[in-house]
Amino acid sequence: MKEVSLPGESEDRLTESNVKAGSRAIVIGGSMAGLLAAKVLSGHYGEIIVIERDELQDRPANRPGVPQDHHPHRLQHLGKGVLETLFPGWREDLLAQGAYEREGKEMHLISPLASLQFPYEKDEGCSRPLLEWVIRRRVAAEPRIQVLQGHEAVSLLTRKKGNKLAVTGAKVKEKRCSDSRDLEAALVVDASGRYSRLPAWLEELGCGKPDTEILHTRLAYSTRYYRIPESLKDRYSTVLIEGDPSLAEGSGVFSPIEGGLAETTIYGAGGHYPPVDPARYEPAAAKLIHPMLAEILAQLEPVGNPRGFRVPECRLNPYGAMPEWPSGLLAIGDSICSFDPIYGQGISVAAAEAMEMGKALQEAGRESDPRWELHLQQRFGKIILPAWWTIVVADLRWPGVTYEGSLSGRGIRFCQEYLDIVRRQALQGGDMELFGLMMGVQGLDLPPSALFGEEAVRMVVSRCKQEAWLEKQLDDGETLGCFLERSFPVFHPGSHAEANR
């Protein structure tokens, strides 16, 4: 990406551009969601300007605008498919930069129910800074995309079109200066992440504010890097140790990345915070439900001290349900919904949204829809809902986690007990078909109906010989279909899975 100057700062470069202002789009935020959005927009607008608070380095590096980038990140198959569509060969780019090749190596999954080992298909282990840098370099090759580094959007520019409000750009300033400049555009996309100011901006503009759902996770990571000696580099691939959240048992992850290093993370929620004190880190690993992580760490050399990351809450802003939504404005990624990072959904959901935006822009070019931006936010909501529902159901198992929102408490409790049945059958009973269904739904590769639809529930209950349990869940005279309709959100089959086609 090329760095540009604001109008009035150096020969009015942007205002004298040959590109008309009407074919310019602005993306607020240059992280993964912003990069994906910019790439898609470059097929529809003559000029895309990414406004990024950080000064970006020409190498993989941690940066203040991504406070969680020291910690492990993973992509679901959904996200990997979108990245391959937008950036063919991106995985080879990772490997060329030293990413750890996992293909054929074994993953260890350890839970209170069982321990499993299975080989990886094609996959790469890398840090978040390397992943973002590889994608940023691809975006940099797009001549229509430019970046304003060290700048921030302080407000939206608007005007009235009849009785409807239109966003016409953003007021932008350099972080170190107080003066701001107006930057006009036909479309503004907020990709500024979980700390987005969009709800406040909308309220200031008289549009009201979204009816935000909040999952009070009180979650925390503690991550430490270790150097892997050459003699051990292929002995251990990914290790995932999952405690029982209802007992406040923490989880641990070991994952080799580039540079002969491994990321190790200990995780807790509900206010159960893992230590960042170096002297307490490895003893904490030894307290997990299985000693494997501690045994591995005992053979490795630590690189630096543990670093913590805390997330008090995850938020869903259902912008598609707002009665007033300005034209010329979109939100994407964590700006709409911030997930529990442990499940690795955020980048994949943002990738699916970016692809959906591309479809909507193609449709807008063929059809006249004066409210296409609002309708697209509604489509984003359909992509987000399965992932949001998954983390709410999972995290509410932790003591100390609470939820404010519209999801049915009865439905959540049913899902928690039902998933316990599925896990026991899959892990203790060795039912790999059920295990695949469970992982497919949790990983966003399959629609929720594959596991939670009426036909699927009946199949699982029969297979697990849990008909008596199901009967107890239903009120007198209540059918399973009616219960699911009342207690589950309305999922739209395939909306997320189709995003990488």
Side-chain angles (χ1 to χ4, degrees), residues 120-121 164 191 201 245 276 339 370 401 406 414 417:
Y120 268 107
E121 298 177 356
K164 184 170 175 57
W201 288 348
V276 293
F339 298 99
V401 174
S406 61
F414 176 91
E417 293 183 25

Side-chain angles (χ1 to χ4, degrees), residues 313-357:
E313 61 191 28
C314 302
R315 286 177 165 253
L316 168 60
N317 295 311
Y319 290 127
M322 292 184 66
E324 297 293 332
W325 185 263
S327 62
L329 176 66
L330 292 173
I332 194 170
D334 283 5
S335 295
I336 310 173
C337 185
S338 57
F339 298 99
D340 180 339
I342 197 69
Y343 303 108
Q345 297 168 318
I347 296 174
S348 295
V349 169
E353 291 168 349
M355 295 297 280
E356 197 69 19
M357 179 173 66

